[in-house]
Amino acid sequence: MRAFVFPGLTTRVIFGEGTIARTGEEIARLGHSRALVLSTPHQKPEAEALAASLGARAAGVFAGAAMHTPVAVTEEAVAAFRASGATCVVSLGGGSTTGLGKAIAVRTGADQVVIPTTYAGSEMTDILGETSGGEKVTRRDPAIRPEVVIYDVDLTLTLPVGMTATSALNAIAHGMEALYAPDRNPVIVAMVKEALPAFRDALPVLARDPGDRAARAGALYAAWCCSTALGYVSMALHHKLAHVLGGSFDTPHAETHAILLPHTTAFNEAAARAALTPIAATFGGGSAGAGLWDFARAIGAPLRLADLGLTEADLDRAAGIALRNSYDNPRPFTERDIRDLLQAAWEGRRPQP
Ligand code: NAD
């Protein structure tokens, strides 16, 4: 048994169907009487319906959340938050909306109730990435971590099939890197081991029938496990590369994670084979990297960075940026290694078992 530190889990979690109806009582339980409801423009109707259901507890709706949490949007939202008299935010949506809620909370001390509608997994973490002037800066701070998360299976029924696949692979990427994180602990590893077969079983069903409630429940449960893994241990090369591509080349978040995942897994498998055994055992394929590539293909996820509009010259630049700051990774690497990894992901090659 490895020595470990288990930091405890601090966020209150409510999981089930129809749980959005409990939002009001959770706001009150935190000691607040007025909350600002947040969403993207796309989910504004759902945010307005939630605000209507909250009655006097709703201080209004701010529906301007955007990918990568632009500081300009946050400033507008903080002004709306202060003007509304709210002391709490309710973030209804995917990682972009959760990010806006975190950005408001860290500036104002607001409590957060998060209602996630994708599998991206920001809700359980103390991580906030913000962009301004074309650069994304990420920080960790206990003040960023949401107080309450309400998982409602019903709200994921509308997640499009493509986003369902890529968002699930985004979640699996958190679990993958948690398995070899130097600060991992048995609780987090157990949660990842719980999540992998749940995603493996749910995703093929959802690819055929996105309205399958049992599969939606399994996928959302797995997403909670992976979000917790992201929130309580450190991440390495995979998250670094996804951050570089998203931050410097504006590639879409979930797709970028999905495409990189088999390649970053295969690269680190050479140094962390035992830790990654749960992935190989779950997805088959002869190795963790190949198994994930096979799974991604089977559920219709994109496989090639080239399809995100990146050029080979972009890969040269990305490899350089990825080497700028040092960070822990199970396998040491050179710029050439990263460039080769990106090439394989750009072409969509199946990693060798
Ligand atoms: P997103 O939140 O940008 O959502 C994508 C689109 O899908 C939006 O238009 C949204 O309104 C819509 N959508 C969301 N749920 C839906 C549903 N159930 N039905 C129909 N449409 C729906 O995408 P995402 O991948 O969830 O989040 C990406 C962002 O989250 C990135 O900015 C990323 O950096 C951040 N993130 C942060 C962390 C963290 O810990 N800080 C973790 C994961 C992701």
Side-chain angles (χ1 to χ4, degrees):
M1 173 62 80
R2 295 169 72 247
F4 65 87
V5 172
F6 174 59
L9 305 178
T10 51
T11 299
R12 174 174 162 88
V13 172
I14 293 158
F15 188 99
E17 295 182 17
T19 45
I20 194 172
R22 292 170 64 176
T23 307
E25 74 190 65
E26 289 302 321
I27 294 169
R29 201 180 159 277
L30 286 169
H32 299 286
S33 51
R34 284 174 73 72
L36 182 67
V37 179
L38 309 174
S39 75
T40 61
H42 179 72
Q43 288 174 294
K44 190 176 178 189
E46 289 85 347
E48 284 175 341
L50 173 60
S53 77
L54 291 175
R57 285 205 184 101
V61 171
F62 181 89
M67 188 83 86
H68 304 308
T69 325
V71 171
V73 173
T74 298
E75 284 167 356
E76 207 188 311
V78 166
F81 176 79
R82 293 210 162 107
S84 73
T87 50
C88 172
V89 292
V90 176
S91 309
L92 174 67
S96 296
T97 305
T98 305
L100 177 61
K102 288 173 165 181
I104 295 173
V106 82
R107 285 165 174 79
T108 64
D111 279 343
Q112 303 167 66
V113 176
V114 181
I115 310 174
T117 62
T118 70
Y119 308 132
S122 177
E123 63 276 4
M124 294 297 293
T125 85
D126 57 355
I127 308 166
L128 172 61
E130 299 181 278
T131 44
S132 78
E135 221 183 297
K136 186 164 181 177
V137 179
T138 299
R139 57 180 151 150
R140 291 188 94 134
D141 183 327
I144 290 168
R145 203 188 299 276
E147 281 68 25
V148 177
V149 177
I150 301 176
Y151 288 100
D152 187 335
V153 175
D154 295 350
L155 305 181
T156 62
L157 295 171
T158 52
L159 193 63
V161 173
M163 180 83 184
T164 297
T166 55
S167 195
L169 290 163
N170 183 183
I172 292 172
H174 310 326
M176 188 280 284
E177 292 224 291
L179 289 175
Y180 53 55
D183 52 355
R184 66 190 182 274
N185 63 67
V187 175
I188 294 300
V189 171
M191 290 184 82
V192 175
K193 287 182 175 170
E194 182 85 350
L196 295 170
F199 271 135
R200 176 202 59 203
D201 296 344
L203 266 292
V205 177
L206 295 173
R208 289 190 304 272
D209 178 10
D212 187 297
R213 282 177 171 278
R216 282 290 180 197
L220 192 59
Y221 172 67
W224 168 57
C225 294
C226 290
S227 178
T228 306
L230 175 67
Y232 289 88
V233 302
S234 48
M235 298 285 122
L237 180 66
H238 171 87
H239 282 75
K240 176 70 184 181
L241 290 183
H243 180 93
V244 167
L245 294 181
S248 300
F249 299 89
D250 206 26
T251 58
H253 181 82
E255 285 95 324
T256 306
H257 273 277
I259 295 168
L260 285 174
L261 179 61
H263 303 281
T264 48
T265 305
F267 182 80
N268 276 336
E269 203 167 1
R273 195 166 297 277
L276 291 174
T277 302
I279 295 191
T282 303
F283 295 103
S287 72
L292 283 171
W293 190 92
D294 292 346
F295 179 65
R297 190 168 70 155
I299 61 173
L303 296 170
R304 295 164 11 112
L305 286 180
D307 293 338
L308 302 187
L310 290 169
T311 65
E312 290 186 85
D314 292 335
L315 305 188
D316 295 338
R317 238 186 89 213
I321 298 171
L323 263 283
R324 261 186 219 153
N325 304 313
S326 66
Y327 44 93
D328 269 343
N329 192 61
R331 182 174 162 190
F333 52 81
T334 63
E335 190 168 333
R336 183 76 251 160
D337 292 329
I338 301 303
R339 182 63 184 78
D340 289 347
L341 188 164
L342 291 173
Q343 185 69 29
W346 191 77
E347 293 173 17
R349 291 202 296 264
R350 181 178 190 266
Q352 291 304 309

